[in-house]
Amino acid sequence: MSSYSSGESATSVATAVLRNEPVQARSTARLTSLLDAAAAVVDGIGFERLTTAMIADRAGSSIGTVYRYFPDRIAVLHALSGRSMTRFAAEGIPAIESPDRANWLEAVEAALQYWVGAFRSEPGFRALRFGDVLDLQPRAGDRTNNGVIAAALVSVLSSRHGLEANDELQFRVEVALELCDSLLARAFAFDRNGDARFTDEALTVARGYLIGAYGNPASDA
Amino acid sequence: MSSYSSGESATSVATAVLRNEPVQARSTARLTSLLDAAAAVVDGIGFERLTTAMIADRAGSSIGTVYRYFPDRIAVLHALSGRSMTRFAAEGIPAIESPDRANWLEAVEAALQYWVGAFRSEPGFRALRFGDVLDLQPRAGDRTNNGVIAAALVSVLSSRHGLEANDELQFRVEVALELCDSLLARAFAFDRNGDARFTDEALTVARGYLIGAYGNPASDA
DNA sequence: TCGTCACCGAACGGAATTCGATCATCAGGT
DNA sequence: ACCTGATGATCGAATTCCGTTCGGTGACGA
């Protein structure tokens, strides 16, 4: 009945949304350019105003090609958020696993810092908020993106820092991410570079929340 | 330079989204029924699937009338969230001002409890999350809904509980609301009645956050 | 050179939005 | 009281915009 997962699921994300898997080289490039285009537009005008025509234009392709790969407009956004998440897992998690992290708190802080960086520089990242905003009528049991990231973090925290990987830890990490996410969204809502007051507070809050639950590992030394 | 406000602004909210202000009695009634219709539909199917035709039908009017008052479909949603906020201020704030609240913490907790109740029973409330979700490209200086509610809370906290109404307090209350909001949204995402694990955690987090900043007033007695 | 992969863009359908015609209310003049 | 012009309010067919489909054409690999 345990709902947390243990590691590799973080990298195996929603590519199932595609209608056709690209086979030839040019088509994988096309797919990439479609997602890049969507990311760029979404950063500029927000996901609600993103039209399929805009994606096609900016990617230098036609509307039909968009629909060769994606079942509908929303699927593009889901794929984009999936790609961001995969990148986050592929690049961020190893950085967090670095032996430099003396304890779980440092690992978490590294993850959050990395996350803020993604808000700043990863196209489409801030506009989608990991895509959870799109899950307007989610079915119970659906995995949220934050849930998947949380699972990856949990696996690092348990395998390298001695925390027990159970539902409670998964829940708390998920909550911490949710908290951070909301403040970061606010931080970047008006300020393209992130209002420092809110980005700082996001890190402080998440930190405080987890320390409240698990104690401060630095002072246990 | 102070950005907090001191009370009455909480009731003067975004009616500026209207194309035409209603003048005669029948038109104010019409406007109300349009918003009621939107709220009912939005609760059922989510704001993305809400069509202008549905609003008109359910309100017993025509599409053209919708557009007499609102510049576009999204504006209806903004107005709806504005009305929810106004109600929250009009009904919730007095409840919070009750002399029963021994200290600021109890006032805040009452506010949050009231908020959870609104998620449960106020039509359209949970679907819109105070409408901030829709603010995809807000202009700098725009007031967020949470910001306005925070201002109202700040005025209660300062006038009745001795906290100094300054930018810092406004900021912290806003952050607390944002934190609560994100967890409540999550709590109600799958469960129409609110997943207790997340609603509880929302209150705990907001409480812990403010106590961390201002101390526990109960233990000062 | 055949079969499949990719791509295109006109055409279709539904939803958003416009706009001029029509009805209702109100003020004030007789 | 009644008329009357002005303005408020409503309507809904027409238009425009956008998501999505589909049949046709070009490109790649065996």
Side-chain angles (χ1 to χ4, degrees):
Chain A
M1 276 303 149
S2 181
S3 67
Y4 72 91
S5 107
S6 27
E8 75 292 310
S9 77
T11 49
S12 64
V13 247
T15 335
V17 292
L18 293 183
R19 259 186 175 165
N20 298 80
E21 216 66 31
V23 174
Q24 304 174 3
R26 61 172 172 157
S27 65
T28 55
R30 188 59 65 139
L31 188 53
T32 301
S33 72
L34 286 172
L35 289 177
D36 289 345
V41 177
V42 133
D43 264 343
I45 63 171
F47 71 85
E48 274 207 327
R49 292 189 234 275
L50 176 75
T51 71
T52 52
M54 290 176 192
I55 300 172
D57 279 356
R58 190 169 241 271
S61 80
S62 78
I63 290 181
T65 301
V66 174
Y67 282 91
R68 172 171 175 82
Y69 296 107
F70 303 101
D72 56 37
R73 191 184 79 100
I74 299 297
V76 181
L77 298 170
H78 274 127
L80 178 57
S81 84
R83 188 178 72 165
S84 295
M85 185 167 50
T86 302
R87 283 184 184 170
F88 186 90
E91 298 169 22
I93 299 293
I96 294 156
E97 285 178 325
S98 150
D100 299 355
R101 319 298 171 205
N103 52 49
W104 65 262
L105 185 55
E106 286 187 17
V108 168
E109 284 174 345
L112 297 181
Q113 286 291 356
Y114 191 86
W115 197 1
V116 174
F119 262 82
R120 285 224 174 77
S121 54
E122 176 83 10
F125 202 94
R126 83 184 133 238
L128 291 174
R129 295 186 66 196
F130 263 4
D132 285 345
V133 165
L134 300 173
D135 295 333
L136 299 164
Q137 299 291 303
R139 287 156 305 197
D142 277 5
R143 229 70 210 267
T144 64
N145 284 335
N146 279 355
V148 175
I149 293 293
L153 252 176
V154 162
S155 101
V156 174
L157 295 183
S158 65
S159 67
R160 306 183 69 94
H161 299 292
L163 291 181
E164 193 192 344
N166 52 22
D167 281 348
E168 190 199 345
L169 181 60
Q170 165 83 20
F171 174 75
R172 291 199 195 284
V173 170
E174 237 172 274
V175 167
L177 289 181
E178 200 83 44
L179 297 176
C180 218
D181 200 22
S182 68
L183 293 186
L184 288 182
R186 174 62 175 272
F188 285 86
F190 301 108
D191 181 345
R192 287 210 163 272
N193 216 31
D195 179 335
R197 218 172 168 195
F198 281 94
T199 55
D200 291 352
E201 200 71 352
L203 303 187
T204 306
V205 164
R207 199 172 177 278
Y209 174 73
L210 290 174
I211 287 179
Y214 295 105
N216 188 335
S219 60
D220 293 350
Chain B
M1 275 303 149
S2 182
S3 68
Y4 71 90
S5 108
S6 27
E8 75 293 304
S9 77
T11 49
S12 64
V13 250
T15 336
V17 293
L18 292 183
R19 259 185 174 164
N20 298 80
E21 216 66 31
V23 174
Q24 304 174 4
R26 60 172 172 158
S27 65
T28 55
R30 197 34 73 98
L31 189 52
T32 301
S33 71
L34 286 172
L35 289 176
D36 288 345
V41 178
V42 132
D43 263 344
I45 62 171
F47 70 84
E48 271 207 330
R49 293 189 233 276
L50 176 76
T51 70
T52 53
M54 291 176 191
I55 299 173
D57 279 356
R58 194 174 184 113
S61 81
S62 76
I63 291 182
T65 300
V66 174
Y67 281 91
R68 173 172 173 80
Y69 297 106
F70 303 101
D72 56 35
R73 192 184 77 98
I74 299 296
V76 182
L77 298 170
H78 275 126
L80 178 57
S81 83
R83 190 179 70 164
S84 294
M85 181 169 54
T86 303
R87 284 185 185 171
F88 186 89
E91 298 170 22
I93 299 293
I96 295 156
E97 284 176 326
S98 150
D100 300 355
R101 320 297 170 206
N103 52 49
W104 64 262
L105 185 55
E106 287 187 15
V108 168
E109 283 173 346
L112 297 181
Q113 286 290 356
Y114 191 86
W115 197 2
V116 173
F119 262 86
R120 287 223 173 79
S121 53
E122 174 84 10
F125 202 95
R126 91 187 125 235
L128 292 174
R129 293 186 64 195
F130 263 40
D132 286 345
V133 163
L134 301 173
D135 293 335
L136 301 164
Q137 299 292 301
R139 285 158 306 198
D142 276 5
R143 221 77 203 278
T144 63
N145 284 337
N146 279 355
V148 175
I149 292 293
L153 252 177
V154 162
S155 102
V156 174
L157 295 182
S158 65
S159 68
R160 305 183 72 95
H161 300 292
L163 292 180
E164 192 191 345
N166 53 22
D167 283 348
E168 190 200 345
L169 181 60
Q170 165 83 22
F171 174 75
R172 291 200 195 283
V173 170
E174 237 172 273
V175 167
L177 290 181
E178 200 82 45
L179 296 176
C180 225
D181 199 20
S182 68
L183 294 186
L184 288 182
R186 174 64 174 271
F188 286 86
F190 300 109
D191 182 344
R192 285 209 166 275
N193 217 32
D195 178 335
R197 215 173 170 194
F198 281 95
T199 54
D200 291 351
E201 199 72 352
L203 302 186
T204 306
V205 164
R207 199 172 177 277
Y209 173 72
L210 291 174
I211 287 179
Y214 295 106
N216 188 336
S219 61
D220 293 351

